[in-house]
Amino acid sequence: MSAHPRLADLAGSMALRVLQRLPPETAHGLALRALGRGWAGHRPQPPRPRLATQVLGFELPHPLGLAAGFDKNAEAVTGLFGLGFAFVEIGTVTPRPQAGNPRPRLFRLRPQQALINRMGFNNHGLEAVRARLAAQSPRPAALRADHQGRRWEAAAPLGANIGANRDSADPVADYVTCLCGLYPLVDYIAVNVSSPNTPGLRDLQRRDRLEALLTALLEARAALPAGGAAKPLLLKIAPDLTPEDEADIAEVALALGIDGLIVSNTTIARPDVVTGSHRDEAGGLSGTPLFLRATEQLARFYRMTGGRLPLIGVGGITTGADAYAKIRAGAAALQLYTALIYQGPGVVERVLGEVDRLLAEDGYDRLSEAIGADLRG
Ligand SMILES: Cc1cc2nc3c(=O)[nH]c(=O)nc-3n(C[C@H](O)[C@H](O)[C@H](O)COP(=O)(O)O)c2cc1C
């Protein structure tokens, strides 16, 4: 889109105001369609050398990505990179298409800048997503690096978040099917065992079941045709775990050698700040009221893993200060979702500009120096 940036911003904020008056899922569908057609424009981020960071073998111009669930079916990947995200995660994808829960299943809690959703893994299924990814138009260029320090240019990282069908008799097989199907088409895989909206799914976070699942996935990955370094396998966890479960997950993740953790998914808790008529809707809460819970959990995982496992911090990032707090609590990269719904595409620029300023104020030349800073010494 060649419109003057100020005009694009004006059009964008008008569109956002219109969308916010529509039922949330209708608004989401329209936004996704606009992004898929490139109508949201192109918002390249200005170079900010302090924000450049290396994580999971990706050389990112900045740490902020789009969290799973926004583009479940890979319908708007190019448009989403156009908003300035350094990486984008599609999904959750399940082997077979499924409709998800009956509507309404997505609720705005505007005063708290929060959402409650019980979508239930509505998605077009593996084959449809594979076909779309294979036909997808190009992504921006980015650098990759391997352990030997070799660098090469590739497309900006795209992740696929995978899950199991609600009626699956063998959830582990579902994850393996999705891993094998999506692996050649994306740059990392996120294993979602943390959605509160598929009955029994979160039980896969228990030690023995998690070991079995991750072992099966690592074996499946090893058996795939090798083409360079293995693509990262990450686990996305819930913010509602017991201390014992958290310790088990940290141990299993390190012992099995998965590549990172995404901390965290939505919460089934309802912190006191959440009020209003939707408070008691069943489902996962995201946005500002999730921030503290998810960030404290992130810090616990950073401590338990001793900084040896890359952590992607997600949950309630609304401002640059939130994003910076997650980095200081141990996040090597970040994701958001709900803030995009309330603030529109300008959120990427706002958050990154503020993180850059906060790093400079604290005397950091590089983002990597600030990772886990609150937990050292
Ligand atoms: C409507 C909606 C749908 C979501 N769907 C998924 C999903 O399919 N898979 C997943 O791993 N996370 C999903 N999430 C969780 C987000 O990826 C993210 O972890 C969570 O919303 C916390 O981040 P936020 O506070 O920035 O939104 C969804 C969130 C929302 C609001």
Side-chain angles (χ1 to χ4, degrees):
M1 210 191 242
S2 56
H4 188 281
R6 294 284 295 277
L7 276 180
D9 280 349
L10 192 64
S13 64
M14 282 165 64
L16 186 64
R17 242 175 288 159
V18 172
L19 287 176
Q20 286 179 344
R21 281 165 202 271
L22 297 173
E25 206 171 334
T26 310
H28 186 79
L30 286 173
L32 207 54
R33 212 169 313 154
L35 282 158
R37 294 184 180 171
W39 293 346
H42 184 55
R43 297 166 176 257
Q45 288 299 305
R48 294 191 172 98
R50 230 188 316 267
L51 296 188
T53 191
Q54 209 187 81
V55 57
L56 301 164
F58 307 126
E59 301 229 346
L60 304 178
H62 65 74
L64 188 59
L66 177 67
F70 190 92
D71 187 5
K72 289 176 188 275
N73 301 302
E75 294 173 283
V77 169
T78 307
L80 288 166
F81 275 110
L83 300 187
F85 289 107
F87 60 106
V88 168
E89 190 170 308
I90 59 147
T92 296
V93 180
T94 57
R96 285 171 290 112
Q98 62 181 30
N101 288 319
R103 299 184 192 202
R105 54 193 179 177
L106 176 59
F107 305 89
R108 290 190 194 102
L109 292 79
R110 194 185 304 280
Q112 292 94 25
Q113 301 274 295
L115 297 169
I116 291 177
N117 92 82
R118 51 168 178 269
M119 306 301 287
F121 286 173
N122 55 312
N123 78 108
H124 298 169
L126 176 61
E127 282 319 313
V129 172
R130 269 173 57 83
R132 211 165 278 136
L133 285 175
Q136 196 74 231
S137 29
R139 294 176 248 150
L143 284 178
R144 301 282 163 81
D146 66 13
H147 293 306
Q148 277 109 43
R150 285 177 297 217
R151 287 183 155 73
W152 66 97
E153 196 165 283
L158 178 67
N161 183 300
I162 60 173
N165 279 113
R166 185 187 177 95
D167 60 357
S168 175
D170 187 351
V172 173
D174 277 21
Y175 285 93
V176 170
T177 301
C178 288
L179 173 102
C180 295
L182 291 166
Y183 191 85
L185 296 162
V186 298
D187 304 298
Y188 74 88
I189 300 282
V191 181
N192 180 5
V193 285
S194 45
S195 165
N197 302 313
T198 296
L201 191 92
R202 286 171 304 151
D203 295 343
L204 291 166
Q205 294 172 114
R206 309 300 290 271
R207 188 182 189 108
D208 48 343
R209 298 198 63 194
L210 187 64
E211 264 170 351
L213 172 64
L214 293 179
T215 303
L217 288 168
L218 289 166
E219 282 173 8
R221 180 177 73 168
L224 288 168
K231 294 177 184 175
L233 185 72
L234 289 90
L235 181 72
K236 183 166 178 179
I237 61 170
D240 306 314
L241 299 163
T242 63
E244 295 73 30
D245 285 342
E246 287 187 351
D248 282 349
I249 289 171
E251 239 179 86
V252 169
L254 287 172
L256 294 184
I258 64 164
D259 302 286
L261 294 174
I262 303 178
V263 186
S264 66
N265 214 314
T266 55
T267 178
I268 54 169
R270 295 292 180 265
D272 289 341
V273 295
V274 181
T275 54
S277 59
H278 293 319
R279 176 194 157 91
D280 296 322
E281 291 290 351
L285 172 75
S286 60
T288 305
L290 171 60
F291 175 77
L292 195 61
R293 176 176 279 253
T295 307
E296 285 175 355
Q297 185 184 43
L298 178 70
R300 286 195 297 277
F301 272 92
Y302 187 78
R303 220 177 266 125
M304 283 188 289
T305 57
R308 281 171 291 157
L309 198 61
L311 304 176
I312 298 186
V314 49
I317 295 177
T318 304
T319 65
D322 297 337
Y324 186 50
K326 291 229 192 247
I327 293 165
R328 294 186 60 105
L334 307 164
Q335 292 177 323
L336 60 75
Y337 181 148
T338 303
L340 179 63
I341 303 296
Y342 285 105
Q343 299 183 40
V347 69
V348 178
E349 168 65 24
R350 267 194 294 281
V351 165
L352 293 176
E354 207 178 329
V355 174
D356 197 33
R357 186 176 54 75
L358 291 167
L359 282 167
E361 275 175 19
D362 285 351
Y364 293 115
D365 292 330
R366 306 226 138 263
L367 181 144
S368 58
E369 297 164 10
I371 298 172
D374 282 346
L375 305 168
R376 283 188 230 126

